[in-house]
Amino acid sequence: MQVLIDYRKDLPIIENVKYLLGINYFSYNMPEVYELNELINIVKTLKEKNNVVIVNLEKIMYDKDLALLLPVLKVFEEINVDYITYSDLGVYQLIKDENISLKVIYHASTLITNLCDVKLMLEENDNIILGKEISFQELKKIDYGINKNVLIDAFGKFPIFYSRRHLLSTYLEYRKNDLNPKDYDYSLVEEFRSEDYPIVESDGTIVYEHSYYALASELKDLEHIECVYLSSNLIDLDDYSKVVNLYLSNEATDENLSQIVPIYKGKLTEKTILIKGGIN
């Protein structure tokens, strides 16, 4: 099983894997982001170790952002970045309009959840990352209905809400609270639920799941999943390394992962209620 892992400067580089890099201002949901000059050097180092380099450009883009992104894309082309991931279709259109020879991976977690959308996006992109908001029933249907290997979100605390607005700062200001939103670990707790949902403010606001989602034991039954994305958000780096090693050694099971961190299965065990074409 191939893995796509976050580049973290405090972790040793593994050879012959796929690395996801964050770049300042243009990335979304990355635990570390780098300035362009730093990223150029990281790309060089990773490629020297036979790694595939993918850069996260998944931020919601305004027109002014796309104008700033264009010269960055041209640098990526020059340094042979292998792929970029995106969710805003403006990024895709910019690459096509400017004839930039970068391979693109569509990654919009809440949208790539059914066979019709998967087929459409595979026609327009070099690859996709399947979302996690999907039942195993529907996932098997997608796997059976495609003839190309794809990627999938397989492990981590993934976002359940994202906004470009600085909502935590706005809330603290409204409550006349002088706490810095970046100085503490904040979480949301619903009135009738006990789980803590981490909320993080950087270039916008993200609310995360309460536990670590894990697609693991199910992978043996999926023929066209060639690579799993393992997120390092909100996890101790030693624990993250253990998780990565389990997937690399094909020993990632629910039991093994739950010995490292608390996991949950998300929508995997739920029956698909609404599907395109009818209700089952």
Side-chain angles (χ1 to χ4, degrees):
M1 177 63 63
Q2 298 181 43
V3 298
L4 171 61
I5 58 179
D6 294 334
Y7 174 80
R8 304 296 298 265
K9 62 183 179 182
D10 291 332
L11 289 179
I13 295 175
I14 303 171
E15 295 187 7
N16 300 305
V17 300
K18 293 179 173 66
Y19 271 98
L20 186 63
L21 290 173
I23 181 170
N24 189 37
Y25 190 74
F26 298 111
S27 292
Y28 152 71
N29 188 38
M30 291 298 295
E32 293 177 356
V33 293
Y34 300 93
E35 298 298 334
L36 183 58
N37 288 338
E38 293 178 282
L39 189 137
I40 291 171
N41 292 327
I42 294 170
V43 169
K44 180 180 178 181
T45 300
L46 291 175
K47 283 189 163 290
E48 288 173 349
K49 295 183 179 293
N50 299 314
N51 292 304
V52 173
V53 177
I54 303 173
V55 179
N56 177 316
L57 299 178
E58 297 176 25
K59 177 181 176 180
I60 297 174
M61 302 283 182
Y62 300 142
D63 287 346
K64 64 177 183 179
D65 301 325
L66 293 172
L68 295 172
L69 179 60
L70 179 56
V72 175
L73 291 173
K74 292 181 177 179
V75 172
F76 289 173
E77 187 179 29
E78 292 172 2
I79 64 175
N80 295 318
V81 166
D82 294 291
Y83 297 89
I84 62 98
T85 62
Y86 77 98
S87 62
D88 191 312
L89 292 176
V91 176
Y92 172 88
Q93 196 61 50
L94 179 64
I95 290 172
K96 297 302 177 184
D97 289 347
E98 298 294 331
N99 294 314
I100 297 172
S101 57
L102 283 173
K103 293 182 178 181
V104 295
I105 299 174
Y106 186 59
H107 187 202
S109 300
T110 58
L111 299 180
I112 304 298
T113 55
N114 62 80
L115 180 57
C116 293
D117 289 343
V118 166
K119 285 184 173 181
L120 174 63
M121 299 314 292
L122 280 176
E123 290 177 2
E124 300 296 330
N125 295 272
D126 295 289
N127 214 321
I128 61 170
I129 301 179
L130 289 173
K132 54 165 287 296
E133 297 297 327
I134 186 170
S135 70
F136 190 59
Q137 169 195 357
E138 185 72 14
L139 188 54
K140 287 194 293 184
K141 180 180 177 181
I142 292 171
D143 184 62
Y144 181 78
I146 59 177
N147 55 15
K148 179 177 180 177
N149 291 338
V150 297
L151 299 85
I152 193 167
D153 291 330
F155 176 87
K157 283 193 176 182
F158 291 101
I160 59 174
F161 172 86
Y162 166 49
S163 172
R164 284 282 302 260
R165 296 183 176 92
H166 294 84
L167 300 178
L168 196 50
S169 294
T170 302
Y171 172 77
L172 292 173
E173 181 180 353
Y174 172 76
R175 296 299 299 266
K176 295 181 172 52
N177 193 317
D178 59 0
L179 291 176
N180 188 325
K182 298 179 181 179
D183 283 349
Y184 299 92
D185 293 332
Y186 294 91
S187 61
L188 302 178
V189 180
E190 294 186 68
E191 184 177 2
F192 299 109
R193 297 185 184 181
S194 60
E195 299 93 348
D196 290 350
Y197 294 85
I199 179 170
V200 176
E201 181 179 292
S202 54
D203 185 17
T205 306
I206 300 177
V207 179
Y208 289 92
E209 298 170 294
H210 57 83
S211 296
Y212 297 93
Y213 171 79
L215 174 70
S217 301
E218 301 83 359
L219 288 169
K220 65 181 183 300
D221 297 319
L222 299 171
E223 179 183 356
H224 290 105
I225 303 299
E226 72 163 349
C227 181
V228 293
Y229 172 51
L230 313 176
S231 172
S232 66
N233 270 313
L234 305 177
I235 184 172
D236 177 83
L237 289 184
D238 287 339
D239 288 339
Y240 183 62
S241 294
K242 294 176 185 177
V243 168
V244 170
N245 287 332
L246 284 178
Y247 279 93
L248 282 173
S249 60
N250 293 317
E251 296 177 352
T253 63
D254 295 347
E255 181 180 1
N256 288 341
L257 289 170
S258 62
Q259 293 177 10
I260 302 173
V261 292
I263 65 169
Y264 88 118
K265 305 304 290 182
K267 300 294 183 182
L268 283 173
T269 57
E270 297 184 15
K271 179 180 174 64
T272 299
I273 296 176
L274 180 62
I275 60 174
K276 290 192 175 182
I279 298 176
N280 65 343

